[in-house]
């Protein structure tokens, strides 16, 4: 995802930047220049809807809780995403229907489904950050 920039000392919160994938970032070619690709199957009451959404956002989700003392210890910041929070407000009935049998419905730009997903991605509560020292994974 990138390099963490920080100042040494006590850390109580952080921000996560989400933007269009650039060359040189592992997996960027799969995103075809978009910021996020989300594929899955939504289900309710026994009905299942395969879906796909591309998001072109450039934002920083700020104020995510992270209690850690930053020093020179090498490690990784794990970013966990609560997908239920991302999708909580999405009305899949507003997605564009699938073109063919087995194709996913599309959460197209301008639809309620796409807009709700964008609001979910920008929700601070959808993220959990955890520092893991190198060698502890």
């Amino acid at each position: 995802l990138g390099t963490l920039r920080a100042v040494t000392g006590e850390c109580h919160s952080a921000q996560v930047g989400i933007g269009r994938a650039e060359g040189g970032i592992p997996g960027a070619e799969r995103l075809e220049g978009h910021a996020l690709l989300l594929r899955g199957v939504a289900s309710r009451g026994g009905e299942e809807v395969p879906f796909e959404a591309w998001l072109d956002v450039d934002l920083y989700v700020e104020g995510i809780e992270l209690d850690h003392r930053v020093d020179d210890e090498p490690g990784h910041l794990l970013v966990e995403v609560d997908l239920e929070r991302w999708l909580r407000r999405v009305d899949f009935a507003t997605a564009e229907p699938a073109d063919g049998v087995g194709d996913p419905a599309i959460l197209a730009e301008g639809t309620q489904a796409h807009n709700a997903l964008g609001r979910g991605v920008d929700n601070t509560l959808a993220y959990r950050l955890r520092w893991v020292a190198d060698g502890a994974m």
Side-chain angles (χ1 to χ4, degrees), residues 9-86:
E10 293 298 323
C11 176
H12 299 289
S13 68
Q15 63 184 9
V16 171
I18 302 172
R20 292 177 188 242
E22 298 176 3
I25 295 175
E29 67 281 351
R30 293 184 61 207
L31 293 173
E32 300 174 15
H34 300 282
L36 294 170
L37 164 61
L38 188 63
R39 290 185 180 130
V41 178
S43 61
R44 181 171 44 186
E47 183 180 354
E48 293 188 341
V49 178
F51 69 90
E52 180 176 293
W54 297 87
L55 284 173
D56 295 323
V57 294
D58 188 15
L59 59 87
Y60 284 95
V61 182
E62 298 182 0
I64 303 169
E65 182 180 340
L66 172 65
D67 286 316
H68 176 70
R69 176 154 181 75
V70 178
D71 54 25
D72 59 0
E73 171 191 37
H76 295 83
L77 183 66
L78 296 182
V79 179
E80 298 174 346
V81 176
D82 182 345
L83 294 176
E84 193 278 329
R85 282 200 188 268
W86 275 15

Side-chain angles (χ1 to χ4, degrees), residues 94-116:
T94 68
E96 290 184 1
D99 288 334
V101 175
D103 289 341
I106 304 297
L107 280 61
E109 194 169 336
T111 64
Q112 183 281 340
H114 187 272
N115 294 338

